[in-house]
């Protein structure tokens, strides 16, 4: 029985196909359309899923959309009307896009898949999140927390999953939203909403959380069980789609950060690609430190609210396992604290914890929640996207006159790569099916030597051009994780394999991997041979050569572009950037 899940029209559009409850294929639309965070109808992702399974729309038992468009439309209608005339612009825009497109999801799906209307179902946004976290987990029973910006009306839920059932315990509704509060600060700090949240998280360690009280006194009231109320006097996200906060907010925190301003403090480096050091360097450092203090404060508040919610959930359910989903579930710093500071023993978060993942959750919910079919699937890895055969790669290279070397023996290829890495080269690494979710986890990755701090600048100069506060992540052999990081049984925790924890580095080891050491912490990815044998072998061989079983792993893309999908995307990225060596399966291409 095939069920197709679809999410779109808000954040990341995606499709996921399950067969008898097991995931077959899943992908975000941006990988195909090459539009970052593409939220349009995921035509390409749907085609890919069906092609991968070798089926067409008429073979589907059901197609399910991850939320209820009419309920969401109702929320937008109600809130814009309540805030009229301030909200007239949003109201007008909403009428145009909703009446013109978004409300007609059903007919889009019907046209696209050519299936009967009765086979098209609609999930609920937060239930899709909860289902995406619980059903593919290894747990027979677990507490579930979902937190995001907003779905139809709901912004956070706590529930219990048992077998095939998910039971909602409590929910918090719009406009009270931890995700939207965080996004308001994201905008204030000069980053794009729904895109720059992780930059706020990256900036936070460079500041002191000096404004925590100011946030609690004015912006959000939090009860001891973690329930919260946002004071809408300071925000405009309920009546504007251009601004998320208002003048009163600026009275509290001062002028917003100019998005064009380079970020550096006395604790960050001043990278060469920023050009000459400005004459008022010290003054600019202080200015940036103020913004870092604000980032640290909202990050701290977010962590505290989540810890309260999770501790209450533990008390109320007595369960040992916790599943998390929703955009806030991608806050890996908060996840690390949940792991280390709450009594839950095991955590599960799937790699596409944001809205894209709702496609997977919606499909699984039909199979288990609605049809009551038993669970038979655990999401052991993130490799569910499209792959390219050696023939396809060869054809691409030859038809474009690209010279390559074909190294059929893996071990010989890996030895060559380790030599390159030791020589300070940056490697573009492409193999197998691309990853589900926003992180590159060893199939579309850029790899480099993690040992020296200079490698951060080198990778940035060669390809990423990122702000110096944004961390690069370490991939580490599962068996060596505890030597480098603090945390309980990290290696066994699923979020670690999906790069969803930030954890403190052990002081004795922190200095040995400075390129991936972010103020004494790291957003690690653990790797086991059975999940990705070739990726594992490279890290292992690098460890044998250096005593450091770690590599720097960053996503294979140019700044502002989605992660590469095809050999052509990978080659173009290689060509336009300073990447030294490109590996497409067993084909090696050098500059
Ligand atoms: Fe969501």
């Amino acid at each position: 029985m095939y069920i197709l899940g679809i999410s779109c029209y808000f954040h990341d559009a995606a499709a996921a196909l399950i067969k008898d409850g097991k995931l077959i294929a899943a992908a975000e639309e941006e990988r195909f359309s090459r539009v970052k965070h593409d939220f349009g109808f995921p035509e390409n992702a749907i085609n890919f899923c069906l092609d991968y399974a070798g089926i067409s729309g008429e073979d589907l038992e059901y197609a399910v959309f991850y939320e209820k468009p009419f309920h969401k439309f109702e929320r937008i209608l109600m809130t814009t009307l309540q805030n009229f005339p301030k909200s007239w612009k949003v109201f007008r825009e909403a009428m145009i896009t909703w009446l013109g497109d978004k409300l007609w999801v059903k007919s889009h799906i019907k046209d696209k898949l050519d299936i009967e209307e009765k086979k098209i179902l609609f999930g609920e946004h937060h239930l899709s999140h909860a289902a995406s976290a619980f059903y593919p987990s290894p747990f027979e029973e677990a507490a579930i927390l979902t937190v995001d910006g907003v779905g139809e009306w709901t912004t956070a839920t706590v529930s219990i999953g048992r077998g095939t059932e998910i039971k909602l315990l409590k929910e918090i509704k719009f406009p009270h939203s931890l995700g939207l509060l965080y996004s308001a600060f994201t905008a204030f700090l000069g980053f794009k909403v729904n895109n720059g949240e992780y930059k706020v998280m990256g900036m936070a360690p460079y500041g002191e959380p000096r404004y925590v009280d100011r946030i609690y006194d004015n912006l959000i009231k939090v009860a001891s069980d973690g329930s919260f109320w946002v004071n809408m006097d300071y925000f405009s996200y309920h009546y504007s789609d251009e601004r998320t906060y208002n003048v009163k907010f600026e009275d509290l925190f001062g002028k917003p950060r100019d998005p064009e301003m380079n970020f550096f403090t006395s604790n960050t480096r001043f990278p060469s690609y920023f050009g000459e050091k400005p004459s008022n360097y010290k003054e600019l450092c202080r200015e940036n430190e103020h913004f870092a203090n604000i980032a640290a404060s909202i990050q701290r508040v977010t962590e505290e609210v989540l810890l309260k919610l999770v501790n209450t959930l533990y008390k109320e359910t007595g369960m040992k396992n916790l599943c998390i989903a929703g955009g806030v579930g991608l806050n890996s710093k908060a996840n690390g604290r949940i792991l280390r500071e709450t009594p839950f023993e095991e955590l599960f978060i799937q790699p596409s914890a944001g809205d894209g993942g709702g496609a997977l959750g919606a499909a699984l919910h039909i199979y288990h929640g609605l049809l009551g079919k038993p669970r038979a699937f655990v999401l052991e890895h993130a490799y569910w996207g499209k792959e390219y055969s050696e023939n396809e790669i060869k054809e691409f290279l030859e038809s474009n006159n690209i010279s390559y070397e074909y190294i059929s023996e893996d071990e010989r290829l890996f030895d060559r790569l380790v030599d390159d890495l030791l020589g300070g080269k940056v490697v573009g690494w492409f193999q197998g099916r691309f990853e589900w979710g926003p992180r590159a986890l060893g199939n579309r990755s850029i790899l480099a030597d993690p040992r020296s701090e200079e490698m951060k600048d080198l990778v940035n100069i060669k390809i990423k051009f990122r702000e110096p506060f944004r961390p690069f992540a370490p991939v580490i052999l599962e068996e060596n994780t505890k030597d480098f990081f603090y945390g309980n049984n990290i290696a066994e925790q699923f979020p670690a394999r999906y790069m969803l924890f930030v954890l403190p580095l052990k002081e004795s080891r922190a200095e040995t991997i400075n390129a991936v050491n972010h103020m004494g912490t790291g957003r690690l990815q653990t790797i086991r041979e059975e999940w990705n044998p070739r990726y594992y072998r490279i890290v292992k061989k690098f460890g044998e050569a250096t005593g450091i079983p770690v590599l720097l792993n960053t996503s294979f893309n140019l700044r502002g572009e989605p992660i590469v999908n095809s050999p052509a995307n990978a080659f173009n990225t290689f060509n336009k950037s300073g990447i030294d060596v490109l590996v497409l399966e067993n084909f090696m291409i050098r500059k």
Side-chain angles (χ1 to χ4, degrees):
M1 178 194 293
Y2 287 103
I3 302 174
L4 179 73
I6 299 169
S7 67
C8 63
Y9 294 149
F10 190 39
H11 294 154
D12 300 286
L17 181 69
I18 61 170
K19 182 188 183 188
D20 302 330
K22 296 189 176 105
L23 184 58
I24 299 290
E28 271 103 6
E29 180 71 3
E30 65 164 27
R31 302 297 176 95
F32 301 100
S33 69
R34 311 305 302 154
V35 176
K36 200 157 166 84
H37 298 297
D38 193 342
F39 55 81
F41 191 78
E43 172 125 21
N44 298 294
I46 292 173
N47 286 343
F48 153 68
C49 288
L50 297 179
D51 287 351
Y52 192 88
I55 61 170
S56 65
E58 61 195 25
D59 299 311
L60 294 171
E61 198 75 23
Y62 295 104
V64 52
F65 192 66
Y66 82 128
E67 63 177 12
K68 294 197 168 20
F70 280 91
H71 291 197
K72 189 175 231 176
F73 183 60
E74 172 199 50
R75 188 244 308 159
I76 291 167
L77 208 60
M78 300 262 292
T79 42
T80 47
L81 288 177
Q82 275 163 9
N83 292 287
F84 214 76
K86 269 194 295 194
S87 58
W88 70 271
K89 217 172 145 209
V90 171
F91 180 78
R92 201 193 57 176
E93 290 290 314
M95 287 303 126
I96 296 168
T97 64
W98 281 84
L99 294 177
D101 206 10
K102 294 183 180 178
L103 279 179
W104 311 111
V105 176
K106 196 170 194 168
S107 61
H108 293 323
I109 295 175
K110 188 168 174 286
D111 292 349
K112 167 74 202 156
L113 295 170
D114 197 20
I115 61 174
E116 294 166 65
E117 261 188 45
K118 65 174 190 208
K119 290 185 168 183
I120 303 172
L121 305 175
F122 290 83
E124 270 172 55
H125 191 104
H126 274 261
L127 186 55
S128 295
H129 276 319
S132 82
F134 175 62
Y135 291 129
S137 79
F139 312 137
E140 177 53 31
E141 56 171 44
I144 311 168
L145 173 71
T146 68
V147 189
D148 69 359
V150 60
E152 294 92 355
W153 280 97
T154 306
T155 68
T157 67
V158 289
S159 31
I160 291 185
R162 272 203 188 90
T164 58
E165 224 183 305
I166 292 175
K167 195 174 125 208
L168 178 71
L169 299 179
K170 255 189 299 196
E171 60 187 334
I172 296 174
K173 291 192 168 180
F174 186 85
H176 308 292
S177 165
L178 195 58
L180 292 176
L181 176 70
Y182 203 91
S183 294
F185 279 92
T186 302
F188 180 82
L189 291 169
F191 306 118
K192 277 197 196 124
V193 170
N194 298 332
N195 184 9
E197 280 73 8
Y198 62 98
K199 297 185 186 178
V200 177
M201 193 174 78
M203 199 188 242
Y206 294 102
E208 297 288 331
R210 292 204 185 134
Y211 300 103
V212 165
D213 289 343
R214 203 173 290 185
I215 294 174
Y216 283 132
D217 290 344
N218 299 283
L219 304 185
I220 185 170
K221 290 273 165 279
V222 186
S224 56
D225 70 349
S227 306
F228 52 83
W229 295 264
V230 175
N231 183 355
M232 298 315 294
D233 291 353
Y234 294 87
F235 300 94
S236 46
Y237 58 73
H238 51 311
Y239 59 79
S240 166
D241 57 5
E242 278 160 15
R243 277 174 72 85
T244 52
Y245 58 88
N246 62 26
V247 237
K248 277 193 77 172
F249 187 99
E250 289 183 23
D251 290 343
L252 278 186
F253 297 105
K255 265 194 357 220
R257 181 173 164 267
D258 175 1
E260 300 303 317
M261 177 180 181
N262 282 329
F263 181 85
F264 50 87
T265 73
S266 45
N267 279 323
T268 69
R269 298 157 70 81
F270 188 85
S272 56
Y273 52 90
F274 280 177
E276 286 272 300
K277 235 183 205 183
S279 55
N280 58 345
Y281 169 75
K282 285 220 162 111
E283 188 191 319
L284 290 173
C285 278
R286 273 194 300 277
E287 222 176 283
N288 275 316
E289 271 147 21
H290 162 71
F291 291 119
N293 292 341
I294 293 174
S297 305
I298 186 59
Q299 176 63 29
R300 174 68 62 86
V301 168
T302 303
E303 290 166 12
E304 288 178 354
V305 176
L306 290 172
L307 287 170
K308 278 186 179 169
L309 282 167
V310 169
N311 280 321
T312 307
L313 196 48
Y314 181 79
K315 263 188 239 142
E316 287 178 356
T317 65
M319 287 180 164
K320 292 189 173 64
N321 309 319
L322 174 66
C323 301
I324 304 176
V328 180
L330 293 168
N331 193 307
S332 43
K333 173 79 194 324
N335 295 339
R337 286 194 65 188
I338 290 170
L339 173 70
R340 297 183 70 226
E341 297 175 36
T342 74
F344 280 103
E345 290 169 18
E346 306 261 347
L347 249 63
F348 181 87
I349 309 172
Q350 56 106 8
S352 183
D355 277 359
L360 172 63
L364 288 170
H365 180 253
I366 298 303
Y367 190 75
H368 300 300
L370 195 76
L371 304 175
K373 302 271 189 192
R375 290 165 63 196
F377 172 74
V378 175
L379 192 87
E380 293 284 355
H381 60 77
Y383 312 112
W384 302 99
K386 192 169 165 68
E387 68 188 331
Y388 293 83
S389 68
E390 291 217 322
N391 274 342
E392 285 170 293
I393 295 170
K394 193 170 175 203
E395 207 180 291
F396 164 76
L397 293 171
E398 293 187 347
S399 63
N400 289 283
N401 292 319
I402 298 162
S403 48
Y404 63 83
E405 192 181 342
Y406 181 77
I407 304 168
S408 60
E409 204 192 315
D410 272 352
E411 293 302 309
R412 206 160 67 81
L413 173 71
F414 302 159
D415 286 337
R416 292 272 299 275
L417 284 179
V418 169
D419 283 345
D420 282 328
L421 291 165
L422 292 174
K425 300 258 193 294
V426 176
V427 174
W429 171 254
F430 177 107
Q431 61 162 355
R433 302 178 70 177
F434 69 68
E435 297 87 346
W436 171 235
R439 304 273 168 257
L441 300 169
N443 281 6
R444 301 289 186 277
S445 286
I446 291 169
L447 305 175
D449 184 338
R451 291 175 298 168
S452 81
E453 172 115 32
E454 282 70 43
M455 188 51 82
K456 269 188 206 171
D457 282 2
L458 196 70
V459 174
N460 268 325
I461 291 164
K462 278 176 185 286
I463 175 160
K464 292 274 170 161
F465 308 106
R466 311 203 296 192
E467 303 87 340
F469 62 85
R470 286 183 51 199
F472 286 113
V475 50
I476 181 166
L477 299 183
E478 188 182 41
E479 55 270 32
N480 298 113
T481 309
K482 59 184 182 312
D483 308 334
F484 284 78
F485 288 93
Y486 288 109
N488 304 330
N489 318 318
I490 322 159
E492 290 96 76
Q493 304 283 339
F494 275 75
R497 63 179 88 168
Y498 299 137
M499 217 194 261
L500 286 167
F501 284 139
V502 169
L503 291 172
L505 276 161
K506 293 196 170 165
E507 294 75 7
S508 58
R509 292 303 192 110
E511 305 272 292
T512 63
I513 49 172
N514 265 330
V516 290
N517 167 0
H518 191 53
M519 303 293 279
T521 68
R523 194 185 65 195
L524 70 159
Q525 178 199 358
T526 54
I527 181 72
R528 189 190 292 175
E529 191 157 19
E530 66 185 79
W531 304 330
N532 193 334
R534 299 176 86 239
Y535 188 40
Y536 175 92
R537 287 295 302 154
I538 297 181
V539 183
K540 174 110 181 153
K541 277 187 178 264
F542 185 82
E544 284 161 3
T546 61
I548 305 290
V550 177
L551 284 177
L552 180 157
N553 162 33
T554 186
S555 53
F556 196 158
N557 62 306
L558 294 170
R559 187 182 181 175
E561 287 186 4
I563 300 175
V564 300
N565 157 17
S566 65
N569 300 153
F571 181 78
N572 285 338
T573 302
F574 165 73
N575 213 16
K576 280 192 215 159
S577 70
I579 297 174
D580 302 290
V581 184
L582 172 65
V583 180
L584 303 169
E585 299 292 350
N586 288 64
F587 297 85
M588 191 184 242
I589 298 121
R590 313 187 76 91
K591 281 267 161 70

